[in-house]
Amino acid sequence: TLTSKLSFKNKYVRLLSFVFLWLWRKCSSFFNKTQNKCVYSLKKKVSAPGDIQGLYKRLHEKFPNLIYLDMSDEYIQWRVDGNPYCSYRLYCLYEKNILRAYAFLNIQSKHIAHLSDFTSEDETTGQVLIDKIITDTKKAGFGILNYWANIKNELCLQSIGIIKKKGFIKKKDSMSIVIKNLDQSEMGFDCSELYITGLWTEGTSI
């Protein structure tokens, strides 16, 4: 009948549309990854002294009230490289010779890794960097990858938005008391201005 023919035709068109959409998404994902590989390069150390400070200088233009650690080479040498308790891995994402994103991965157990610091100039560079970190941690056999940050801070929320797309979930943490107990009227600034990451609080253990 005419009805059955039209019904079959509609189903056929929908099936072709679904296949075309699936192929388009796969091709787009492949070309985006290929393009990112050509545009960005990943390094395990900074290319030049002051690269991380240069990134923060650009971020400060975007977030003028941002309060953050002075990530000088001397500080990193003391806080990260010379840390007797924590073993850190540094990830640096470069676009040509410009640092666009970086991360410190803290490893204190065989199964859990901590993103002590995950900072990117924008969402695109953040996604490229977190993809590499997730791939590395999976290959190394880690079952959990943690990230701790100030959920009131705009730059932290940018990072949280990036990693949430990769399957990260929110969980309650007793460390929230660090923010809640501060008297903002006496401090002279808002807690939302503090770009707090794991590097602010990590000591001998997490």
Side-chain angles (χ1 to χ4, degrees), residues 26-42:
K26 287 292 183 181
C27 290
S28 297
S29 176
F30 172 78
F31 285 120
N32 285 337
K33 289 181 178 179
T34 303
Q35 183 181 28
N36 287 337
K37 288 181 179 179
C38 296
V39 173
Y40 303 110
S41 60
L42 187 72

Side-chain angles (χ1 to χ4, degrees), residues 88-99:
Y88 291 98
R89 295 179 187 175
L90 174 60
Y91 289 80
C92 297
L93 187 73
Y94 280 87
E95 182 181 9
K96 295 183 179 179
N97 63 337
I98 301 176
L99 181 67

Side-chain angles (χ1 to χ4, degrees), residues 65 67 150 152-153 184-185 187-194:
N65 296 322
I67 300 174
N150 179 7
K152 299 295 183 180
N153 179 263
Q184 298 182 29
S185 62
M187 291 186 302
F189 59 84
D190 194 298
C191 287
S192 64
E193 299 169 2
L194 297 171

